[in-house]
Amino acid sequence: MKLEFCCPTLFGLEGIVADELRFGGKLTDVRAENGRVLFTGDADTLIWANLHLRCAERVLVRLAAFRAETFDELFEGVKAIRWEDFIPADGTFPVKGHSLDSKLFSVPDCQKIVKKAVVTRLGAAYGLSWFPETGARCQIQFSIMHDMAEIFLDASGAGLHKRGYRANANAAPLRETLAAAMVKLARWRGREPLLDPFCGSGTIPIEAAMIALNRAPGMMRTFDAEKWSWIEAERWRTAREQAVAAVRTDLAPDLLCGGDIDPDCVALAIENAKKAGVDRFIRFEQADAVRRDYRWQSGVLFANPPYGERLLDRESAEALYRAMGRAAGGSELRQYYLTSDPEFERFYGYRADKRRKLYNGMLKCDLYMYFKPQAERRPFRAQQARGQVGRGDREVPNRTKGKHS
Ligand SMILES: C[S@@+](CC[C@H](N)C(=O)[O-])C[C@H]1O[C@@H](n2cnc3c(N)ncnc32)[C@H](O)[C@@H]1O
């Protein structure tokens, strides 16, 4: 059966997910849009996407798209879908959705209409007037934007960022999909050392190890679509076996290192890495990031330091960035910092070679990338003074006089 799919993504990750589908999934018909990626395929595509996509939030089957300005139009559009091909007589089919800038703005009312339309269609198909809803979960989702309705079936269940290894997290964990995206943006593939000196629950080094080892992120969890009767269990079994067979083991032990000042975070990171099956490749240690000696180190540094939003206050976070700049700014390491502080570069002391806007949940962040050799890394103030603010660079707003000097 030919199917259309939609993967919602965190804003900023659409292109990376599209590349995962093109290069990993070998799909040609991939379209990245704002906050989502669309593509077509079959049941095997659905399975592959769930098991292997590292940076998408979930996999939805897109069943219909139509104009709906009235409840009647919504009802008829939903009833026209061949639900009997997807939902068995005992299937559980809850409905959720959202509406934006549309005449049908009441989400609870739209939910009721969609449910009624599905029940009407399935009732006629199965000769039933009542559905026990005790069987496989087939989550229905609708989206109504500018009076256009789209109807989906959620194949994933829990979001794809839930890999199954992070039962516990520190106070401000990074979403796994975003951590994987950082590693992909840096094109780190396990050939050089990787350090995360602010590792928290270990998400970045764990995701990086999984990428280098070619461990499918969905290997350790299940998906709602695994119980769908129209996808043979054998297909899932084969795909899972192939994923296990593709795992590499030849990564140098201790190539990755995670550090945190908080011993509880270190213990948590070790526990999570064990659950992810990558603990023997990552050394976790309690260490103050600003007291490390970065001069002799080579490879890549990833950091998701405190932002002054959830952890630390703003001034302490900025003092930390200054200290980090003094410790690591002049080293040979390629460096990637994710923070929501728009003045990170000023405090860190060096202008990034490139910046990329990313969202950590709803929080707008920038990934500051330093990949030029140390000799070409220019101190932030010196560059400003010479008037070398490059194209696309953001002007740094003036701060209250004396506050941060
Ligand atoms: C935003 S959290 C990192 C979250 C992590 N990426 C994750 O997914 O769990 C920042 C971490 O930096 C740690 N930290 C704060 N100051 C530090 C320092 N001076 N040296 C090392 N770690 C520090 C905190 O304990 C916290 O775990």
Side-chain angles (χ1 to χ4, degrees):
M1 189 183 347
K2 192 177 173 201
L3 298 163
E4 190 175 357
F5 298 103
C6 170
C7 285
T9 70
L10 292 175
F11 286 109
L13 301 193
E14 301 87 347
I16 299 173
V17 173
D19 281 351
E20 289 191 280
L21 288 159
R22 287 189 192 112
F23 301 117
K26 300 186 178 57
L27 301 180
T28 49
D29 177 23
V30 180
R31 286 157 293 144
E33 294 182 355
N34 219 3
R36 66 187 200 166
V37 180
L38 301 169
F39 53 102
T40 52
D42 55 16
D44 289 325
T45 315
L46 178 154
I47 295 170
W48 185 90
N50 272 298
L51 281 174
H52 293 273
L53 286 179
R54 295 184 194 278
C55 305
E57 292 305 304
R58 55 182 65 247
V59 181
L60 306 173
V61 184
R62 188 168 180 258
L63 296 175
F66 53 89
R67 199 158 184 86
E69 296 185 9
T70 64
F71 287 130
D72 276 352
E73 284 172 343
L74 181 61
F75 182 86
E76 291 305 327
V78 173
K79 189 160 78 77
I81 297 167
R82 293 183 54 85
W83 290 104
E84 61 277 16
D85 290 350
F86 302 102
I87 303 177
D90 68 345
T92 306
F93 49 102
V95 178
K96 67 179 179 188
H98 59 263
S99 169
L100 194 75
D101 292 336
S102 298
K103 294 189 186 69
L104 298 179
F105 58 84
S106 163
V107 170
D109 285 338
C110 292
Q111 264 173 306
K112 278 185 208 141
I113 296 292
V114 172
K115 184 85 183 189
K116 194 170 158 202
V118 180
V119 166
T120 306
R121 172 88 194 201
L122 290 179
Y126 294 126
L128 293 172
S129 58
W130 178 81
F131 289 88
E133 300 207 40
T134 50
R137 184 180 161 87
C138 307
Q139 174 74 58
I140 297 169
Q141 270 197 35
F142 64 85
S143 153
I144 307 177
M145 284 176 76
H146 308 293
D147 298 322
M148 278 299 295
E150 288 181 282
I151 310 296
F152 306 98
L153 260 189
D154 182 351
S156 303
L160 293 184
H161 68 279
K162 297 204 171 156
R163 318 291 209 205
Y165 66 75
R166 202 174 71 179
N168 300 310
N170 68 337
L174 192 60
R175 200 172 264 229
E176 293 83 341
T177 42
L178 186 52
M182 285 172 69
V183 176
K184 280 184 164 268
L185 280 168
R187 298 182 199 284
W188 188 84
R189 295 191 186 91
R191 295 192 198 100
E192 59 191 329
L194 179 152
L195 169 68
D196 176 358
F198 298 90
C199 74
S201 48
T203 320
I204 297 173
I206 292 172
E207 288 294 322
M210 286 170 61
I211 289 172
L213 293 165
N214 201 29
R215 271 182 83 91
M219 256 169 51
M220 291 169 293
R221 56 161 283 176
T222 58
F223 304 92
D224 275 6
E226 276 178 271
K227 296 215 174 83
W228 290 356
S229 52
W230 54 277
I231 303 180
E232 300 92 327
E234 186 58 29
R235 284 177 190 257
W236 280 101
R237 224 179 348 263
T238 307
R240 283 192 177 278
E241 281 165 11
Q242 284 168 351
V244 171
V247 173
R248 293 172 43 181
T249 51
D250 54 350
L251 192 63
D254 284 357
L255 191 65
L256 299 98
C257 176
D260 202 286
I261 202 161
D262 180 347
D264 290 344
C265 284
V266 175
L268 193 58
I270 293 171
E271 192 189 317
N272 288 338
K274 272 192 190 135
K275 280 195 205 125
V278 296
D279 53 310
R280 74 190 161 102
F281 303 103
I282 313 173
R283 180 167 45 87
F284 286 106
E285 59 196 20
Q286 185 192 357
D288 184 343
V290 302
R291 290 179 190 277
R292 283 176 180 275
D293 186 355
Y294 296 93
R295 281 169 303 177
W296 55 270
Q297 290 198 7
S298 64
V300 188
L301 180 152
F302 288 99
N304 166 219
Y307 301 164
E309 301 256 353
R310 288 184 284 183
L311 298 175
L312 294 187
D313 57 68
R314 183 95 198 269
E315 306 241 325
S316 312
E318 289 168 0
L320 190 64
Y321 300 163
R322 283 185 204 279
M324 201 57 203
R326 284 194 295 274
S331 75
E332 286 297 340
L333 286 164
R334 280 196 291 138
Q335 300 173 37
Y336 296 80
Y337 294 91
L338 183 77
T339 168
S340 65
D341 191 330
E343 294 195 75
F344 172 79
E345 289 163 295
R346 185 154 85 91
F347 300 116
Y348 184 71
Y350 294 88
R351 182 170 283 282
D353 298 314
K354 208 172 165 188
R355 277 196 305 266
R356 184 158 173 150
K357 200 193 297 170
L358 294 172
Y359 281 79
N360 188 4
M362 295 306 288
L363 190 62
K364 181 181 156 300
C365 295
D366 274 291
L367 181 64
Y368 295 90
M369 306 182 229
Y370 297 86
F371 40 70
K372 282 193 188 148
Q374 178 205 10
E376 291 176 33
R377 214 167 277 165
R378 274 191 282 267
F380 186 78
R381 285 177 194 286
Q383 189 184 38
Q384 263 199 323
R386 287 199 299 269
Q388 290 177 351
V389 176
R391 203 157 50 125
D393 286 339
R394 182 179 40 230
E395 293 291 340
V396 176
N398 289 326
R399 302 291 303 218
T400 314
K401 199 176 165 199
K403 192 175 171 202
H404 294 287
S405 56

